[in-house]
Amino acid sequence: MRILIIGGSVFVGRAITEEALRRGHEVTTFNRGRSGVDLPGVEAIRGDREVAEDLDRLVEGREWDAVIDVIGRVPRLVDESVRRLNGHAGVYTFISSISAISDFPEKPCDENSPIYECAPDAGPDDGDYGTLKAGCERAAEAFEGDTLIIQPGLILGPYEDVGRLPWWLDRISRGGRVLAPGDPDRAMQVIDVRDLATFVLDRTEAGKTDRFLVSGVPGNTTYGDWLAECRAATGSDAEFVWVDDRFLLDREVAPWTEFPLWTPGDPEFAGVWLASSAKALAAGLTCRPVAETVRDTWAWLREVPPAERSFKWHGIDPEKEARILAEWE
């Protein structure tokens, strides 16, 4: 197949590009060339999807069997891309997010769950991340061909640019007493970026309008097992000190960010790890063991100098961690 990937050089886009090349597809990537390195074997076209002239130049004289839009976050920009790509491709695959579902994370959800109200021509200031992703889905559905919507859940794996698993690996590798938040038996549900990429390519090749929530196998790890895998992978002597949810909330620890993937057992997070991937699993989604994801991510992270490790908005300040540990003890 001839495949255009909008993005294609960072984390999810990189994994999809790698998988497409491995299958022997002809891959064109369209991005600004600022966030990542082009993979060998792609036709790299530089441009900004916010610039109409760049989109016109992209499509001029070109056709693809499929487009995979990895980076769409503003409905208006996705709408403009769709308009220009109409007639130039047969399938438009849009990588959305479970965050587009209005019931998430309070309730269990699936492909039939409602998404946020957001117009397909909304601008960047017309909502938060999940709301805008919902608008992007509506913009993508206007494509004059088959439209495939993928709503991933929590994605981990090598080259993660968000910094959730990398932060934990980095912190645990330093050893010592490590504050472990909440309940170690709390079941989680994560998916390896490479398994997501495989599924995206499988369904894109099938070329059918559809929608899939892709959140991995329910209960494929627990918070305690996940951190234990981090300790095993790094060979650390870390000693976990489990601190209960309310103690952390009372000290203004932010769920999800200060301790990545930690959510307290409050009603507003009741469905965070209960999304259904049943439809995707029935359609061929396969998921590797979480231990493999952790090991491979550590193998990649070890090659990144500590000074260059970026965890964006994730991770608690070391002094705050130490203070809470002392208060807990």
Side-chain angles (χ1 to χ4, degrees), residues 41-120:
V42 306
E43 176 196 19
I45 299 177
R46 292 284 177 258
D48 191 329
R49 72 187 306 166
E50 297 187 31
V51 179
E53 292 78 7
D54 287 356
L55 291 173
D56 291 337
R57 177 171 49 83
L58 169 67
V59 303
E60 185 177 359
R62 292 186 176 89
E63 291 186 357
W64 298 274
D65 298 298
V67 176
I68 303 176
D69 187 347
V70 183
I71 60 174
R73 292 193 177 190
V74 180
R76 183 175 64 221
L77 299 180
V78 174
D79 178 67
E80 292 172 357
S81 299
V82 165
R83 291 177 184 275
R84 283 171 171 79
L85 285 162
N86 278 331
H88 292 270
V91 181
Y92 197 103
T93 297
F94 181 71
I95 308 300
S96 182
S97 169
I98 194 173
S99 297
I101 298 175
S102 55
D103 285 344
F104 180 82
E106 294 182 11
K107 302 176 183 177
C109 53
D110 60 18
E111 290 82 1
N112 297 314
S113 298
I115 63 174
Y116 286 105
E117 292 296 327
C118 184

Side-chain angles (χ1 to χ4, degrees), residues 9-307:
S9 63
V10 176
F11 194 35
V12 174
R14 178 191 176 97
I16 292 173
T17 301
E18 283 184 332
E19 179 62 18
L21 291 170
R22 188 190 67 79
R23 297 183 183 204
H25 296 312
E26 297 178 22
V27 180
T28 301
T29 57
F30 177 69
N31 56 54
R32 296 175 300 174
R34 300 176 187 173
S35 301
V37 178
D38 297 316
L39 295 179
V42 306
E43 176 196 19
I45 299 177
R46 292 284 177 258
D48 191 329
R49 72 187 306 166
E50 297 187 31
V51 179
E53 292 78 7
D54 287 356
L55 291 173
D56 291 337
R57 177 171 49 83
L58 169 67
V59 303
E60 185 177 359
R62 292 186 176 89
E63 291 186 357
W64 298 274
D65 298 298
V67 176
I68 303 176
D69 187 347
V70 183
I71 60 174
R73 292 193 177 190
V74 180
R76 183 175 64 221
L77 299 180
V78 174
D79 178 67
E80 292 172 357
S81 299
V82 165
R83 291 177 184 275
R84 283 171 171 79
L85 285 162
N86 278 331
H88 292 270
V91 181
Y92 197 103
T93 297
F94 181 71
I95 308 300
S96 182
S97 169
I98 194 173
S99 297
I101 298 175
S102 55
D103 285 344
F104 180 82
E106 294 182 11
K107 302 176 183 177
C109 53
D110 60 18
E111 290 82 1
N112 297 314
S113 298
I115 63 174
Y116 286 105
E117 292 296 327
C118 184
D121 60 351
D125 299 322
D126 292 332
D128 59 15
Y129 173 78
T131 300
L132 292 178
K133 275 292 193 180
C136 289
E137 290 188 19
R138 294 187 175 95
E141 288 171 343
F143 181 69
E144 296 174 358
D146 290 313
T147 303
L148 177 65
I149 304 294
I150 303 291
Q151 297 174 318
L154 197 285
I155 313 167
L156 302 176
Y159 298 95
E160 185 196 331
D161 62 332
V162 183
R164 293 163 176 152
L165 176 53
W167 183 85
W168 270 118
L169 286 165
D170 183 80
R171 171 63 189 94
I172 291 171
S173 72
R174 299 198 304 270
R177 297 173 69 76
V178 176
L179 196 162
D183 180 1
D185 294 325
R186 183 164 296 148
M188 299 170 66
Q189 183 186 41
V190 298
I191 185 167
D192 190 290
V193 67
R194 296 163 293 184
D195 298 329
L196 173 64
T198 297
F199 184 77
V200 168
L201 264 297
D202 287 347
R203 303 319 306 166
T204 299
E205 290 170 355
K208 177 183 177 183
T209 294
D210 215 333
R211 171 185 296 271
F212 291 94
L213 196 160
V214 187
S215 194
V217 179
N220 57 359
T221 190
T222 65
Y223 211 97
D225 288 344
W226 184 55
L227 294 192
E229 294 291 356
C230 291
R231 180 169 56 191
T234 60
S236 167
D237 65 352
E239 177 188 351
F240 297 129
V241 180
W242 291 93
V243 178
D244 69 43
D245 293 335
R246 181 48 52 191
F247 193 87
L248 296 173
L249 292 173
D250 288 346
R251 282 147 187 82
E252 299 184 344
V253 177
W256 204 257
T257 53
E258 287 194 280
F259 289 110
L261 305 195
W262 166 62
T263 56
D266 292 353
E268 62 183 303
F269 297 108
V272 68
W273 302 119
L274 297 176
S276 173
S277 293
K279 181 178 177 181
L281 290 166
L285 172 67
T286 59
C287 298
R288 70 196 67 204
V290 174
E292 182 179 337
T293 301
V294 173
R295 288 195 303 268
D296 291 351
T297 303
W298 176 240
W300 157 69
L301 190 63
R302 288 180 64 188
E303 302 301 318
V304 180

